[in-house]
Amino acid sequence: MTILITAGPTREAIDPVRYLSNRSSGKMGYALAETAVKAGHRVILISGPTQLDLPDRVDYIPVESAAEMFSTVEHWIGKADIAIFAAAVADYRPAKVPEQKIKKNNEHMTLELVKNPDILGSARSQFNYEGVLIGFAAETENLETNARGKLERKGCDLVVANDVSRKDIGFDSNENEVLFVFKDRTEAPPKDSKQHLAHLIIEQAFELAENR
Ligand code: CTP
Ligand code: CA
C-alpha cells in the first residue's frame, strides 16, 4: 500500500529573514513513516522543517509553508491508500510578505494574518480522496468533543486526539497519551512512546483499509 503522511510544523514567512511557526518536533509523523516503511509499504512523507533523521526508504518531500504543503498533498494524495495528517500546520499566515526586511522604525507594529487552507479538511471535499483518512487533533480542553467535531467536519475515519496542555506529553516529548476517536466509538490506549503509538495507529489504519 501507499501511505501519505504529513509531518512537522510549517513556517509562514513574515519577511525574507523571519517566520511564524510552532513547537511541533515532527516526531509523531516520522515515527509513523518509519513504522509503515518497516511494514513494507511505500511512504510519501511531506514534512515541514524538523531536526530529525529521515527514516530509510521513504519518499521525502520537504516543504515550508502551509500553502506549499497544501499543493504538495494535492499533487500526491491520489496515489495514497491511507493518508495520515500529523503535521502541525500554521492556522494563519502573514497577509503580506514584503520583499525587504522589515525595519524597526516604529514603537509598535501589527502583523495582519489571514487563514491558511485546511489541508486535511480539503482531502475529501476538494481533492476527492477516497482512501482511509486519519487526522490528529491538538486540544487544550474538551478533548473528545472537539476531536469528534474535527472527525465529522473533515470526513476522517479516525482522529488521534492529543491534550497539548499537558507538559509531560505531546508536541516536543517522546511520549504521548491520546484518544482514538472513530466514527462509531472512542478508545483510550495507555500512555506510551510515540514509536509504540505509531504502531497502534498504523495497525488501526490497515484495519480501516480492510473494512473500506
Ligand atoms: N490541519 C491541516 N491543515 C490546516 C490545519 C490543520 O491539514 N491548515 C490538520 C492537522 O494536520 C491535523 C488536523 O487538521 O491532522 C487538526 O489540526 P488542529 O490544529 O488540531 O485543528 P484545526 O482544524 O486547525 O482547528 P483548531 O486549531 O482551531 O483547533
Ligand atoms: Ca490548528
Side-chain angles (χ1 to χ4, degrees):
M1 281 204 256
T2 297
I3 304 172
L4 179 145
I5 298 171
T6 73
T10 64
R11 285 181 182 173
E12 310 300 323
I14 296 172
D15 71 11
V17 296
R18 304 183 178 99
Y19 58 80
L20 287 177
S21 192
N22 59 63
R23 293 183 190 280
S24 165
S25 64
K27 283 173 190 161
M28 194 66 241
Y30 276 55
L32 287 163
E34 186 170 9
T35 304
V37 153
K38 283 187 173 157
H41 301 280
R42 180 187 181 203
V43 171
I44 302 170
L45 177 63
I46 300 169
S47 178
T50 76
Q51 304 288 329
L52 303 172
D53 292 332
L54 205 60
D56 287 338
R57 288 174 284 124
V58 302
D59 293 336
Y60 170 61
I61 309 173
V63 298
E64 288 226 347
S65 65
E68 233 184 293
M69 188 174 278
F70 181 93
S71 54
T72 307
V73 169
E74 182 174 32
H75 185 262
W76 289 102
I77 198 165
K79 305 253 182 268
D81 306 292
I82 294 170
I84 308 178
F85 288 72
V89 182
D91 290 334
Y92 295 90
R93 68 177 183 280
K96 287 186 200 121
V97 185
E99 272 178 44
Q100 307 301 328
K101 186 184 158 195
I102 300 168
K103 296 306 247 177
K104 54 173 178 184
N105 290 334
N106 302 302
E107 282 311 306
H108 299 270
M109 87 156 241
T110 308
L111 259 186
E112 191 191 347
L113 304 179
V114 293
K115 204 186 255 180
N116 273 327
D118 189 326
I119 309 170
L120 173 59
S122 303
R124 300 271 191 235
S125 60
Q126 265 191 266
F127 309 154
N128 300 316
Y129 173 67
E130 290 179 352
V132 171
L133 189 61
I134 300 179
F136 279 72
E139 307 295 345
T140 56
E141 58 180 358
N142 306 327
L143 185 60
E144 185 173 359
T145 314
N146 285 341
R148 188 160 291 290
K150 286 174 188 173
L151 176 100
E152 283 162 10
R153 273 199 306 282
K154 305 188 191 208
C156 297
D157 298 298
L158 165 62
V159 164
V160 180
N162 261 303
D163 183 344
V164 290
S165 67
R166 286 178 54 181
K167 281 271 161 355
D168 55 327
I169 54 169
F171 266 43
D172 219 358
S173 79
N174 292 315
E175 289 202 304
N176 210 346
E177 186 172 355
V178 299
L179 286 181
F180 286 168
V181 179
F182 297 91
K183 287 178 187 159
D184 60 350
R185 68 186 189 282
T186 298
E187 289 175 13
K191 180 172 167 178
D192 213 327
S193 67
K194 287 188 176 172
Q195 255 63 36
H196 190 246
L197 275 172
H199 277 93
L200 290 183
I201 293 166
I202 294 293
E203 210 172 86
Q204 296 297 340
F206 289 137
E207 215 169 294
L208 287 163
E210 267 172 31
N211 296 326
R212 250 191 119 70

